[in-house]
Amino acid sequence: MTSPHRENALPDAVPTAASERLSGGSVREAGVLSSRYRWVSVGLFLLVMLDAFVALGVTTIMPTVSRELDGAGLYAFAFAGPVAVSVVGMVAAGIWCDRWNPRSALVISVAIFTAGLTAIALAPNMVAFVGGRLLHGLAGGAVTVALYVVVARIYPQTLHAKVFAAFATAWVIPSLIGPVAAGVLAETIGWRWIFLGVVTLVILAMLIVVPAMRAVRGTANHSPIGRAEVVRIGLAVVVAAAALVIAVAAEMRGPIQSIGPIVAAAIVLIALRPLMPAGTLRARRGLPSVVLLRALMTATFLAAEVYVPLLLITHYGASAALAGLALTAGGLSWSAASWMQGRFPQIGHVLTARIGATGLTVGVGSLVIASLMSATPVVVVIGWTFAGAGIGLIYPRLGALALGYSTADNQGFNSSALTIGEATASALALASMAVVFSAFGGTDTSTSFAAVFALAGALCALGWLCSPRIAARPELTPPL
């Protein structure tokens, strides 16, 4: 549902009343957990937390699932596919929320999300598992957009920051226990129960959320979907399809393995342009570079993270639970760095971006060294802690900066662009790394791991070059 990415920018808000009258006639703003918002806050928090468990759990247990279902060839596709199709869900849900009611969009999206998790849990083979992942990814993208629009419709603007802070906090517990718990469950009662357990909890969360959202109303715009909306959905489908082609090319041989991804990537870039702020692909100063930088950094972290537990399990003989410790370290350092950058807003955006890119580069570099030199697994854990801290510094700062560059007229478009950009970049990075990993021998060689982590390092380098351009002008400080 929520991005990898632990926090998302907010679509165009429709503030609601936010005060509770006290005895004596004074008015006090209602809090996130006040009687007015308590149950919807709890329900939305649970949805985000459960999605975090799924995201971290899947990354931890995929080597086990791949081995049990004899699906090593679809390992990377199981990650790239859901991220790619999530773009379609994001666009479709955004149109639904604008035209009708975000409450119904959230309910329908969660229902499909649950169906996807159930299909994953019951999958008899890797193809069925990937099919469930695609359904889960499509719905997850829709849930992300619907959830944030629901926040905009229910809470006043003064509470938005607190709600998003709560969403970020919802990743702390999963980061602490999610990867290890998923590893232990996979090694004891079986990995399928992870998904079945989440399905049960998601249903309970919706039983809390739906009654609490009775006050959510749709917009006055109930006109049929127009040509512009159809074009946007079509472009999203093209982007997703092209990204999937790149992922499939990883298992091909001959010219198609090298030519196919190049053609597909070109199609993605062409189809993506109308969905992004003008100048994004050219790193134009200001908002375009903000969108591009977050896409590059998110793609670097998420794509590299997929191979961290696989490296530990296949080359170090670590258990799934032990491999999960690296993801826990990265998740905790992400949360800690996010909190820290919020406590020191006086540190400039460009400097924050550079420090964050440096941390991510150190983390990815340590993975290259560990792959080539068979260093102790401690190097992997420490390195991924640096990577988590790096993305933790950059991610929330760029989200706030994107809103600072936005106006009431384009806030929704810019927020969608931020989310679609990082999802598309992540899908392309995952698919490209799958091609590289396969070309260098897969799990049979350490060179293949070094190659994918080196590719992640190249994305870091692009992000470093892009970071100074997030300022509108060299001499100006970007708005908050």
Side-chain angles (χ1 to χ4, degrees), residues 455-466:
L455 180 56
L459 293 177
C460 275
L462 291 176
W464 178 271
L465 295 174
C466 178

Side-chain angles (χ1 to χ4, degrees), residues 77-131:
F77 189 88
F79 289 99
V83 177
V85 298
S86 71
V87 174
V88 180
M90 291 172 188
V91 173
I95 294 172
W96 183 291
C97 292
D98 287 341
R99 295 283 179 174
W100 297 288
N101 196 317
R103 178 180 57 198
S104 59
L106 182 63
V107 172
I108 293 172
S109 300
V110 170
I112 300 174
F113 182 85
T114 303
L117 290 178
T118 304
I120 292 170
L122 302 178
N125 51 54
M126 194 64 175
V127 173
F129 181 91
V130 170

Side-chain angles (χ1 to χ4, degrees), residues 308 311 316 358-388 449-450 453-454 457:
V308 171
L311 173 67
Y316 289 98
T358 300
L360 197 51
T361 302
V362 170
V364 172
S366 69
L367 297 180
V368 175
I369 294 173
S371 301
L372 293 176
M373 302 180 62
S374 298
T376 171
V378 175
V379 173
V380 177
V381 176
I382 294 177
W384 202 240
T385 302
F386 274 96
F449 286 98
F453 294 137

Side-chain angles (χ1 to χ4, degrees), residues 230-472:
V230 173
V231 169
R232 287 184 63 203
I233 294 176
L235 289 172
V237 171
V238 171
V239 169
L244 292 178
V245 167
I246 299 175
V248 171
E251 296 307 310
M252 301 296 179
R253 292 295 179 266
I256 193 172
Q257 188 182 39
S258 55
I259 298 176
I262 296 174
V263 174
I267 293 173
V268 168
L269 295 180
I270 294 172
L272 195 64
R273 286 186 64 187
L275 303 176
M276 299 285 106
T280 297
L281 300 181
R282 292 183 284 107
R284 179 183 294 174
R285 281 196 174 275
L287 178 66
S289 287
V290 171
V291 173
L292 179 60
L293 180 59
R294 196 159 105 159
L296 289 171
M297 295 296 96
T298 301
T300 298
F301 185 87
L302 294 182
E305 186 180 50
V306 167
Y307 291 92
V308 171
L310 187 63
L311 173 67
L312 290 171
I313 291 173
T314 59
H315 277 261
Y316 289 98
S319 65
L322 182 59
L325 286 177
L327 303 186
T328 296
L332 290 177
S333 61
W334 178 320
S335 299
S338 295
W339 174 86
M340 185 176 298
Q341 65 82 31
R343 298 286 292 179
F344 298 98
Q346 64 271 24
I347 300 178
H349 299 304
V350 172
L351 179 58
T352 299
R354 283 177 167 167
I355 295 174
T358 300
L360 197 51
T361 302
V362 170
V364 172
S366 69
L367 297 180
V368 175
I369 294 173
S371 301
L372 293 176
M373 302 180 62
S374 298
T376 171
V378 175
V379 173
V380 177
V381 176
I382 294 177
W384 202 240
T385 302
F386 274 96
I391 189 68
L393 285 174
I394 294 175
Y395 199 88
R397 184 64 69 96
L398 293 178
L401 187 52
L403 287 181
Y405 279 126
S406 303
T407 66
D409 294 331
N410 61 18
Q411 191 179 46
F413 175 82
N414 292 342
S415 298
S416 297
L418 202 66
T419 306
I420 291 171
E422 65 184 34
T424 304
S426 298
L428 287 176
L430 283 163
S432 301
M433 287 184 184
V435 173
V436 171
F437 191 69
S438 176
F440 279 86
T443 56
D444 296 331
T445 68
S446 59
T447 307
S448 58
F449 286 98
V452 296
F453 294 137
L455 180 56
L459 293 177
C460 275
L462 291 176
W464 178 271
L465 295 174
C466 178
S467 59
R469 302 185 65 80
I470 63 176

